[in-house]
Amino acid sequence: MAACQGNDIYGVIYLKDIVKPGLRERFDQLRRMGVKTIMLTGDNRITASVIAQEAGVDDFIAEATPEDKIDVIRSEQAQGKLVAMTGDGTNDAPALAQANVGLAMNSGTQAAKEAANMVDLDSDPTKLIDLVTIGKQLLITRGALTTFSVANDIAKYFAIIPTIFAAAGIGALNIMALKSAQSAIVSALIYNALIIPVLIPLALRGVQFRPLTADQLLRRNILIYGLGGIIAPFIAIKAIDLLLPLS
């Protein structure tokens, strides 16, 4: 802005949007989680490009109207993507309503708050990171427990069925060399009684979240909880079988 009198300029005032400290790091974290960030703004392209570069977003669209914002969101949704939107202005309200998850700033207009699914009391645009983190932690915790339970049941029954139905000619599959059908059943029951309380703290605390993509989280879950669910019953049931005085 220029301060002038007549045709004489006496000074220039420099105005600039301030990017919050640590914002680039927060967007880097989103990127590691497989989330693409797009800045939609009504500012001119030069201003938008500078802010986008400083903030570290993946892409930006300048001079965007409310209709443009909705079109961008619909385009991403048409590709099968889940879209989250943050905003605080009245012109953001249609896009907040269109997005799968709309997060309005507490400092924003009433229209934005009513159109959004949630309102951030801290008015922090990067609060979406916390939402994604919590959502992914819930999903990976449920996935980890389900993976472990399925693998655990398969391994457990594979361990005890050959012993129980040895008379049917499958006794050769008793690779754990369990002492008897009675010992196998009791060992499995004791193992069940022990493993369930062990999983309760994991379910309450949740699996530790890491900023990884969905594919990476899936591979990690299968490797740790799938493999763990297969190995644990064999070791535990055999150990219990050895300790039981049954024959």
Side-chain angles (χ1 to χ4, degrees):
M1 296 178 60
C4 60
Q5 183 175 5
N7 294 326
D8 298 325
I9 297 178
Y10 288 88
V12 175
I13 302 173
Y14 177 65
L15 300 178
K16 179 180 180 298
D17 287 327
I18 302 299
V19 176
K20 292 184 178 181
L23 197 61
R24 175 177 286 274
E25 290 73 16
R26 299 276 279 176
F27 283 128
D28 286 340
Q29 184 180 351
L30 275 174
R31 197 171 294 108
R32 290 195 300 272
M33 288 162 35
V35 178
K36 179 182 178 181
T37 55
I38 301 176
M39 185 179 76
L40 301 174
T41 177
D43 289 338
N44 66 72
R45 184 169 183 84
I46 296 176
T47 301
S49 64
V50 173
I51 298 300
Q53 184 177 6
E54 290 186 9
V57 297
D58 296 315
D59 198 2
F60 72 93
I61 297 176
E63 300 176 355
T65 64
E67 292 78 10
D68 293 333
K69 296 178 182 180
I70 293 180
D71 290 341
V72 171
I73 292 175
R74 286 176 176 170
S75 175
E76 296 292 331
Q77 291 172 330
Q79 300 175 41
K81 299 177 183 178
L82 294 177
V83 181
M85 167 77 181
T86 62
D88 59 1
T90 301
N91 61 347
D92 293 324
L96 289 168
Q98 176 65 39
N100 298 98
V101 178
L103 179 64
M105 303 296 101
N106 190 42
S107 59
T109 63
Q110 190 63 31
K113 295 179 184 179
E114 292 180 358
N117 303 109
M118 294 171 283
V119 177
D120 177 22
L121 298 180
D122 296 329
S123 296
D124 181 2
T126 62
K127 187 59 68 68
L128 274 177
I129 296 176
D130 298 327
L131 297 180
V132 174
T133 298
I134 294 172
K136 283 199 171 188
Q137 184 168 18
L138 290 174
L139 287 175
I140 63 175
T141 298
R142 184 175 66 179
L145 292 174
T146 302
T147 301
F148 182 88
S149 297
V150 172
N152 181 74
D153 287 343
I154 293 174
K156 179 175 59 183
Y157 291 120
F158 180 80
I160 65 175
I161 285 178
T163 305
I164 298 175
F165 296 100
I170 59 174
L173 296 177
N174 182 18
I175 58 175
M176 295 174 61
L178 299 179
K179 290 182 286 190
S180 66
Q182 183 182 9
S183 176
I185 293 173
V186 174
S187 298
L189 290 174
I190 294 175
Y191 169 72
N192 262 354
L194 294 175
I195 197 63
I196 292 175
V198 170
L199 293 177
I200 291 176
L202 176 64
L204 294 176
R205 184 180 67 252
V207 178
Q208 182 181 4
F209 174 78
R210 298 174 185 274
L212 304 173
T213 64
D215 291 341
Q216 291 172 325
L217 289 174
L218 178 62
R219 287 196 297 268
R220 184 172 181 270
N221 269 356
I222 292 176
L223 179 62
I224 297 177
Y225 299 100
L227 189 60
I230 293 175
I231 295 175
F234 283 97
I235 296 176
I237 291 175
K238 180 59 179 178
I240 296 171
D241 178 71
L242 293 174
L243 295 174
L244 288 177
L246 300 174
S247 59

